[in-house]
Amino acid sequence: MRIALDTNVLAYAAGIDDARRRDRALGMLETLSGAALVLPQQVAGELYNVLRRKGAHPAPVAAQVVRSWATALELAPSTTTDFGDALMLAETSGLQIWDAMILATAASAGCALLLSEDLQDGFVYRGTTVANPFAETLHPLLASVLETSSGSPR
């Protein structure tokens, strides 16, 4: 199963915000290390900005973190078609354009899941289900993937 990651997952893994979210993000990424994880291009750019602004990382450090993720994961470029789909999605669903771009790119990349704290848990677009990995109760699809990946219930 292909799983796309939103900016907040990687930002928390980098230590932005609280230790509980960092530990949860790192644990989840470790559990999913055998899955096909996808990094939408928009997320890579947003991560750089978050590391610079919120994390106060120097530009070379932030760039290296983003390069590391782009190398470790499959970087999914945004296409002209994705942009058109994102505009339509933003218009019809009320999503912010950049969130819609991430979701459209994830759908284009064939991802069954987009892990995001910012989008509506359970929202489905073109076969891609948004799941909040930081929710108290995980979306059943995400819970199933984590259970299968770890061999035990979460």
Side-chain angles (χ1 to χ4, degrees):
M1 174 185 294
R2 296 169 63 74
I3 302 169
L5 303 174
D6 197 356
T7 310
N8 48 54
V9 175
L10 298 176
Y12 292 151
I16 305 297
D17 211 2
D18 60 71
R20 182 185 64 79
R21 281 193 172 100
R22 181 201 62 221
D23 294 347
R24 184 123 182 217
L26 288 172
M28 183 189 53
L29 289 169
E30 183 179 329
T31 300
L32 295 174
S33 63
L37 297 178
V38 176
L39 176 65
Q41 188 175 36
Q42 175 71 30
V43 169
E46 287 181 7
L47 179 60
Y48 176 84
N49 282 333
V50 168
L51 292 171
R52 294 279 292 135
R53 284 190 337 256
K54 290 185 179 177
H57 290 62
V61 172
Q64 185 52 47
V65 169
V66 173
R67 280 188 200 98
S68 294
W69 283 116
T71 300
L73 307 177
E74 177 186 335
L75 184 63
S78 301
T79 66
T80 303
T81 301
D82 295 336
F83 182 70
D85 291 347
L87 282 173
M88 187 179 305
L89 183 57
E91 178 183 19
T92 59
S93 72
L95 289 176
Q96 297 295 318
I97 185 62
W98 300 118
D99 290 336
M101 190 70 192
I102 292 167
L103 185 51
T105 301
S108 242
C111 296
L113 278 171
L114 168 61
L115 304 186
S116 176
E117 182 181 50
D118 296 335
L119 300 174
Q120 181 185 348
D121 192 52
F123 184 83
V124 179
Y125 175 71
R126 288 183 27 215
T128 302
T129 300
V130 175
N132 181 352
F134 304 100
E136 196 170 310
T137 302
L138 294 178
H139 185 279
L141 182 56
L142 176 56
S144 173
V145 170
L146 290 170
E147 184 176 325
T148 302
S149 295
S150 71
S152 63
R154 290 226 162 239

